[in-house]
Amino acid sequence: MVAERDLPLRNGSASSSGSDSSSSASGEGEWLDADQDDEQEAVAVISLLDDAVFPDALSMIAHCKDKYGFDFLAVRERLQLDFHGTVKLINFVRQRVHEGAEVPAEISQADLEDDRYLKPVLDDDALILCLDDLPETGAAAAAASASASGLPSSGVDASLDVELKKSTAELQAELEQLTKQFTNYRLAVQKTLDERWQANDEPDDVPGAKGGEAKDDSAYYFESYAHNDIHEIMIKDAVRTDAYRDFIYGNKHLFAGKVVLDIGCGTGILSMFCARAGAKQVIAVDNSDILNKARENIFNNGLADVITCLKGRIEDVVLPVAKVDIIVSEWMGYCLLYEAMLPSILFARDRYLQPVTGLLVPSHANIWIAPVSDQEYVADHISWWRDVYGFDMKAMQSDIYTDARPQVLPAQSICGSPSAFRFLDLHTVRNEDLVFEAPWQTTLAQSADSLDGFLVWFDMFFSTKRDDPSIKPDSTAQAWAAAPPAPSDGERVAFTTGPFGTETHWRQGLLLLDTNKVKPVVELAGKVITGDIAFITADNHARGVDLKVTWGTDEDSKQTQKWQLH
Amino acid sequence: MVRTHPVEARVCTALHRGVFVPLLTSSFSRNQGIHEEMLKDEVRTRSYMNAIVQNKHLFKDKIVLDVGCGTGILSMFAVKAGAKHVIGVDMSTIIFKAREIAKVNGLDDKITFIQGKMEEIEIPFPKVDIIISEWMGYFLLYESMLDTVLYARDRYLEKDGLIFPDKATIFVAGIEDGDYKDEKIGFWDNVYGFNYSPLKETALSEPLVDTVEIKAVVTDPANVLTLDLYTCTTEDLAFSCPFDLVSRRDDFIHALVAWFDIEFTACHKPVRFSTGPHTKYTHWKQTVFYLKDVLTVQQGEKVECSLHNRPNEKNKRDLDIKIQYRLETQDPTRQAEGQCLYKMC
């Protein structure tokens, strides 16, 4: 639909009459007031019959009349439509156009019977918001003057009068109901518009607008999250989504009445969990176009009065509150730190999270490394290049050793004890802690017959407390989640992305040893290997990570290899 | 040729049943991953090998142009078949690997690899005798390099030159796919207790690249596009085709499935392969278009359909596809008619 808005939507909130809804206005009073101070209002009315956009409803109506011979006001007059009738007319026409069906020359009352036309077809239909600005119909004007003068209907049969009163009462009840629904909708639309003008302050990178404009990494990053599939993959990753759900629904006492910030909200699932768990207000932030879907989802689930959607980078958006009680986010990338989204979470933590009581969900993470022996994998993906339809393609092998491979390996390919080399307490970790070098150590299994590489994965912990001494740097998700918590600690949740748990969409990071360069470790069984592992910011890729591993036995000198995750 | 260019490598259509794809395409999946997948697609690679190596009489002493050469495997086949010289062109940095590979195999004096866009480079021969290319994308045309091949044909191919392959055909059939439609489309009705219907509409409008079992196919296939690479033009890539699907049995139709066949008719013994549900897996799989309605069909009944395809005006690599369908039956309760719009992006 007409998503590309070049028009400035600055102060798009059409009229202030819809903002007096009782429940949600309180927490964001400042914010709404700030918008409404400026009386000048600009709206973008999308044409009923094509994609043209107009600054007001009347010029749009004139356009439809001139170009297509469709006289909106005449139809309204002919059918004597009231406010809701007019809304239905708009949505009827929009629905037909949306479906590519013809708009009937003579629209009849019967066409507008269906109540589904009360539901807006366009998400933020400025035309509906502008309805008050249109000239009144004869009927509306007459009704208005009649009710104003309060003239009693004279000469009407008494029983009919009772009937009429009854039906009037019913109609009034229905009207009230509809008005309420509409107010809620209007509020949602208004918020949307408010948010849009905030987002529009940023220089927009419209893909394909002029051509030849190089996209920066960051635009590509956010764009890659604009499609359905990636969200389907994430939501259907039950290890991931169940963990957030179980923690949020299992600890409703933590969320009840609280203000929650969801960073990188995607389709809005975590925000909606929080809202259902009783949060007073949830602020959902995402810089990808998926946010438009999140808005719809939130509205369709009746949570628009609790959840506020903001489009933009968390570093740039203006939150309607000074502090939040909880930050919930699913920021983890391959090998935990690929994608480099964690610094945004830390920024928000330092800027917005209540300093003493605020909680991060999840709260802790640790990263693991283990030695790998998997000759079958090596044969399928490395040796294979030596004879491709009779040709030697060993040239293709060099990248195999320079890139970390996102791969799921079976547990039996782990040939030594896993080593937890980095522990992140998310409440205290700093940006500079994300680039590090840490020691690691493994004892090879008796059955180890080759050392083909290393596997890196992470475990996530969701604690109900900021300081939770029960989570140790080398705690595994499985063991910690299984241990009974103190009764006061509520529901504890944790998950692993490692080879000993259910497969997740993060898979693991496979670092293959370059057999052309490194010296094989011999007589592996039972040997202890020690070394270091470093996470280094990639030189030429803003969201990438380089991993450097050093390893060796006591008697051998240490060897080093570097992999990139770009 | 499915997405060799890093910038275009997007997650969008890469989803398969039960297989996770990367969050962000990492450089691994952009580089070796794709070439490994394509080379390991035996139907594809073996067909090209047979078409080239079994026709030495056609390749002997000829000048050959390999459009979108990737790792250079087709160029090397052409040398094995006796070509005098081969020019491999690819805009990706994979060309450096192709050079190394040709050298390791002692073929570097017979192959010249050029990095760049076909339309912008100069090749060291005024004309070529044969063009070989593996240009096909999902649904044949999505992100395909056909326009580049046609450019090379018009610019470089000798009057009686050959194109390998030279014929491509798209087929469509109706399938029963209730369970998976539920899982894929119905999923959005209830996501952890929430209504996600906005994403359902998007899901319906995105054709799904996936494998379809032959037993799911309810109707005879219908041909919707035949391309003769000697004569077709880029205008032919926007097409409209009416077709009938005749039901083979009493069943339901939830979706249409599309696939393509490829032929090398210049071969002494013609070589062809299909990417359809009736034959071996290829990395192109098939493309599934879910319908809004479920059609209830009886054996012998006919669904009148039409398929319209055109490159998206804003982004020529995306496809806008419209499918119309109409089931005319004696039984008015089963009559159905509708149209769906799809976007491959």
Side-chain angles (χ1 to χ4, degrees):
Chain A
M1 279 194 295
V2 198
E4 255 57 73
R5 286 156 196 280
D6 303 319
L7 292 175
L9 279 181
R10 202 157 269 292
N11 249 359
S13 47
S15 78
S16 56
S17 62
S19 67
D20 57 1
S21 145
S22 53
S23 57
S24 69
S26 53
E28 56 202 28
E30 260 186 358
W31 183 54
L32 285 176
D33 289 348
D35 295 342
Q36 285 160 6
D37 279 344
D38 191 348
E39 279 303 312
Q40 210 184 19
E41 291 168 359
V43 281
V45 180
I46 295 150
S47 165
L48 282 167
L49 301 175
D50 54 35
D51 286 347
V53 178
F54 297 88
D56 62 76
L58 285 175
S59 51
M60 186 282 293
I61 289 167
H63 165 81
C64 289
K65 193 174 169 186
D66 293 346
K67 193 161 175 200
Y68 303 98
F70 176 76
D71 190 341
F72 178 80
L73 291 176
V75 175
R76 190 179 68 150
E77 186 68 46
R78 178 167 57 77
L79 298 176
Q80 296 288 300
L81 298 177
D82 61 2
F83 180 80
H84 289 100
T86 313
V87 170
K88 281 174 147 185
L89 173 63
I90 292 167
N91 289 320
F92 171 75
V93 174
R94 290 216 190 276
Q95 186 63 34
R96 300 286 288 196
V97 171
H98 178 67
E99 286 165 358
E102 254 182 56
V103 178
E106 283 281 286
I107 296 174
S108 68
Q109 280 289 6
D111 286 332
L112 307 180
E113 201 102 290
D114 196 332
D115 272 347
R116 75 190 167 108
Y117 294 122
L118 282 170
K119 187 172 172 262
V121 175
L122 283 192
D123 289 340
D124 44 1
D125 197 340
L127 178 57
I128 296 178
L129 289 176
C130 293
L131 275 187
D132 288 342
D133 305 341
L134 294 182
E136 292 194 338
T137 59
S145 63
S147 71
S149 63
L151 283 177
S153 52
S154 56
V156 179
D157 177 75
S159 68
L160 186 60
D161 199 31
V162 171
E163 276 295 297
L164 277 173
K165 271 184 184 153
K166 198 175 147 214
S167 100
T168 309
E170 280 168 12
L171 285 170
Q172 262 170 355
E174 194 184 343
L175 181 67
E176 204 168 296
Q177 175 76 10
L178 291 171
T179 312
K180 216 167 128 194
Q181 284 175 5
F182 185 73
T183 309
N184 185 22
Y185 166 69
R186 192 166 187 150
L187 189 71
V189 169
Q190 184 177 327
K191 280 187 188 175
T192 303
L193 290 172
D194 290 347
E195 288 148 13
R196 286 236 175 124
W197 77 253
Q198 286 188 341
N200 274 18
D201 278 352
E202 294 170 61
D204 254 359
D205 179 7
V206 182
K210 294 204 175 65
E213 278 178 75
K215 268 184 246 165
D216 64 35
D217 270 359
S218 178
Y220 171 68
Y221 174 69
F222 291 112
E223 191 182 302
S224 70
Y225 276 97
H227 291 279
N228 257 27
D229 276 357
I230 191 164
H231 295 287
E232 182 173 346
I233 289 164
M234 293 194 297
I235 291 174
K236 284 189 174 171
D237 182 345
V239 171
R240 161 197 182 272
T241 313
D242 285 2
Y244 282 88
R245 179 200 59 189
D246 292 346
F247 181 79
I248 295 167
Y249 286 176
N251 293 291
K252 289 190 170 144
H253 63 285
L254 290 178
F255 289 84
K258 295 291 173 56
V259 177
V260 180
L261 174 60
D262 176 2
I263 303 170
C265 66
T267 61
I269 186 95
L270 304 186
S271 290
M272 293 197 285
F273 285 154
C274 294
R276 283 260 166 97
K280 181 171 77 182
Q281 184 182 13
V282 182
I283 301 146
V285 180
D286 204 305
N287 195 28
S288 155
D289 284 344
I290 192 69
L291 191 75
N292 296 326
K293 299 290 183 190
R295 276 200 187 100
E296 284 190 62
N297 287 334
I298 288 160
F299 176 72
N300 287 339
N301 289 284
L303 299 171
D305 55 341
V306 180
I307 304 173
T308 306
C309 294
L310 294 180
K311 176 138 196 264
R313 288 155 24 98
I314 185 67
E315 291 84 353
D316 302 332
V317 297
V318 180
L319 257 52
V321 294
K323 291 286 171 196
V324 301
D325 302 306
I326 297 174
I327 292 176
V328 60
S329 179
E330 197 277 79
W331 50 267
M332 297 80 79
Y334 292 139
C335 298
L336 191 66
L337 297 176
Y338 178 57
E339 289 186 54
M341 190 174 157
L342 184 53
S344 293
I345 309 302
L346 303 186
F347 165 88
R349 176 198 67 190
D350 297 341
R351 170 114 181 238
Y352 295 115
L353 191 64
Q354 290 287 2
V356 182
T357 54
L359 186 67
L360 275 165
V361 178
S363 59
H364 300 74
N366 57 14
I367 322 180
W368 296 77
I369 185 170
V372 165
S373 169
D374 193 337
Q375 286 294 300
E376 196 184 321
Y377 186 91
V378 169
D380 279 358
H381 298 278
I382 303 176
S383 318
W384 178 80
W385 289 106
R386 298 308 302 268
D387 179 6
V388 180
Y389 290 85
F391 300 111
D392 186 344
M393 292 204 175
K394 70 178 178 202
M396 297 297 289
Q397 289 180 334
S398 59
D399 289 352
I400 293 177
Y401 303 119
T402 56
D403 286 353
R405 302 188 142 205
Q407 196 84 45
V408 174
L409 284 197
Q412 61 266 27
S413 62
I414 301 300
C415 67
S417 54
S419 172
F421 60 87
R422 194 66 182 171
F423 178 63
L424 303 179
D425 176 344
L426 296 168
H427 289 98
T428 56
V429 71
R430 297 159 306 164
N431 266 334
E432 48 269 37
D433 301 329
L434 307 181
V435 175
F436 60 87
E437 186 168 56
W440 73 284
Q441 170 175 333
T442 184
T443 307
L444 293 176
Q446 290 301 326
S447 58
D449 51 5
S450 67
L451 180 63
D452 301 317
F454 307 109
L455 199 65
V456 173
W457 69 87
F458 59 91
D459 287 5
M460 295 307 299
F461 302 85
F462 298 69
S463 174
T464 55
K465 299 188 293 193
R466 284 172 66 93
D467 302 306
D468 193 336
S470 69
I471 306 175
K472 306 271 192 306
D474 61 349
S475 292
T476 65
Q478 297 96 317
W480 183 75
S488 60
D489 285 358
E491 186 86 8
R492 54 165 63 164
V493 174
F495 69 85
T496 181
T497 64
F500 306 109
T502 308
E503 174 179 344
T504 73
H505 76 289
W506 286 286
R507 299 179 274 185
Q508 294 106 33
L510 176 58
L511 315 175
L512 289 168
L513 296 188
D514 187 346
T515 46
N516 304 314
K517 294 190 185 139
V518 307
K519 205 156 45 86
V521 178
V522 288
E523 293 168 29
L524 304 154
K527 263 195 184 150
V528 172
I529 290 179
T530 57
D532 296 303
I533 176 165
F535 272 51
I536 305 157
T537 313
D539 296 333
N540 51 354
H541 192 291
R543 292 185 178 270
V545 179
D546 287 341
L547 282 77
K548 192 176 83 183
V549 179
T550 305
W551 72 96
T553 55
D554 284 347
E555 56 267 36
D556 284 338
S557 56
K558 295 280 190 265
Q559 310 195 66
T560 298
Q561 192 179 327
K562 202 168 160 179
W563 294 264
Q564 55 181 18
L565 188 49
H566 292 179
Chain B
M1 196 312 288
V2 177
R3 287 184 276 144
T4 49
H5 309 305
V7 191
E8 286 142 18
R10 291 159 70 179
V11 286
C12 184
T13 51
L15 181 70
H16 340 307
R17 286 177 203 200
V19 179
F20 289 130
V21 298
L23 280 183
L24 290 168
T25 43
S26 70
S27 61
F28 161 71
S29 41
R30 289 198 302 268
N31 300 334
Q32 307 100 310
I34 288 172
H35 294 290
E36 189 174 328
E37 185 188 21
M38 291 196 296
L39 289 167
K40 283 185 171 170
D41 180 342
E42 275 219 26
V43 171
R44 164 199 179 270
T45 310
R46 198 163 285 282
S47 298
Y48 275 88
M49 182 178 78
N50 292 340
I52 297 169
V53 176
Q54 291 176 359
N55 290 279
K56 296 194 166 72
H57 62 290
L58 298 176
F59 280 83
K60 187 154 173 32
D61 297 329
K62 294 291 165 58
I63 304 295
V64 178
L65 173 62
D66 180 356
V67 179
C69 63
T71 56
I73 184 108
L74 305 188
S75 296
M76 293 194 292
F77 286 150
V79 173
K80 288 261 155 160
K84 187 158 109 193
H85 202 84
V86 182
I87 304 113
V89 179
D90 204 302
M91 50 188 284
S92 148
T93 50
I94 190 69
I95 207 98
F96 299 110
K97 295 290 179 192
R99 281 191 193 123
E100 278 187 65
I101 291 165
K103 188 159 188 189
V104 168
N105 292 280
L107 305 173
D108 49 329
D109 57 332
K110 293 276 192 184
I111 310 177
T112 305
F113 287 109
I114 304 174
Q115 187 188 9
K117 285 184 78 165
M118 197 71 226
E119 293 83 351
E120 289 165 5
I121 56 147
E122 282 294 326
I123 69 168
F125 297 90
K127 289 285 171 188
V128 301
D129 302 303
I130 300 177
I131 290 175
I132 55 179
S133 180
E134 197 276 79
W135 51 268
M136 297 82 76
Y138 296 129
F139 185 61
L140 187 68
L141 301 175
Y142 174 62
E143 291 201 345
S144 91
M145 287 193 307
L146 182 55
D147 47 352
T148 305
V149 173
L150 298 184
Y151 171 86
R153 175 196 69 188
D154 296 341
R155 166 99 191 259
Y156 293 111
L157 191 62
E158 288 281 6
K159 191 158 164 291
D160 297 319
L162 300 177
I163 305 177
F164 279 69
D166 55 350
K167 195 173 163 198
T169 317
I170 300 182
F171 294 94
V172 173
I175 57 170
E176 192 287 315
D177 204 20
D179 290 349
Y180 199 57
K181 188 180 180 185
D182 264 359
E183 186 189 314
K184 193 74 199 168
I185 308 292
F187 168 76
W188 299 107
D189 286 333
N190 182 346
V191 177
Y192 282 82
F194 298 110
N195 167 355
Y196 260 55
S197 51
L199 293 176
K200 183 175 173 174
E201 278 170 42
T202 318
L204 271 171
S205 73
E206 287 175 355
L208 189 70
V209 174
D210 205 348
T211 50
V212 171
E213 284 182 77
I214 183 63
K215 66 178 193 218
V217 177
V218 174
T219 72
D220 289 330
N223 173 347
V224 297
L225 179 73
T226 302
L227 291 175
D228 175 344
L229 266 76
Y230 292 110
T231 57
C232 72
T233 65
T234 48
E235 282 82 64
D236 297 332
L237 307 185
F239 65 94
S240 289
C241 179
F243 59 96
D244 291 340
L245 295 176
V246 179
S247 182
R248 290 170 173 171
R249 57 173 190 249
D250 294 359
D251 209 331
F252 304 99
I253 296 176
H254 299 93
L256 302 191
V257 60
W259 69 90
F260 59 89
D261 288 7
I262 291 296
E263 285 181 64
F264 304 77
T265 66
C267 297
H268 175 61
K269 187 181 153 207
V271 172
R272 62 168 64 97
F273 70 91
S274 174
T275 65
H278 55 286
T279 181
K280 269 183 158 173
Y281 170 92
T282 74
H283 75 292
W284 288 286
K285 302 178 200 156
Q286 291 92 41
T287 306
V288 177
F289 301 85
Y290 284 109
L291 305 178
K292 277 181 208 135
D293 300 310
V294 179
L295 308 182
T296 309
V297 290
Q298 289 180 355
Q299 189 175 0
E301 279 179 347
K302 194 168 73 180
V303 186
E304 293 169 27
C305 304
S306 67
L307 187 147
H308 311 264
N309 173 68
R310 63 186 161 87
N312 182 270
E313 275 163 25
K314 283 190 195 137
N315 185 351
K316 280 165 87 180
R317 289 189 165 266
D318 294 350
L319 299 179
D320 290 331
I321 298 163
K322 181 165 86 176
I323 291 177
Q324 292 170 309
Y325 54 91
R326 191 174 127 95
L327 173 63
E328 192 74 56
T329 66
Q330 301 291 333
D331 174 2
T333 60
R334 294 193 290 114
Q335 300 223 3
E337 184 172 1
Q339 72 167 21
C340 305
L341 301 174
Y342 305 91
K343 196 175 176 70
M344 288 191 85
C345 63

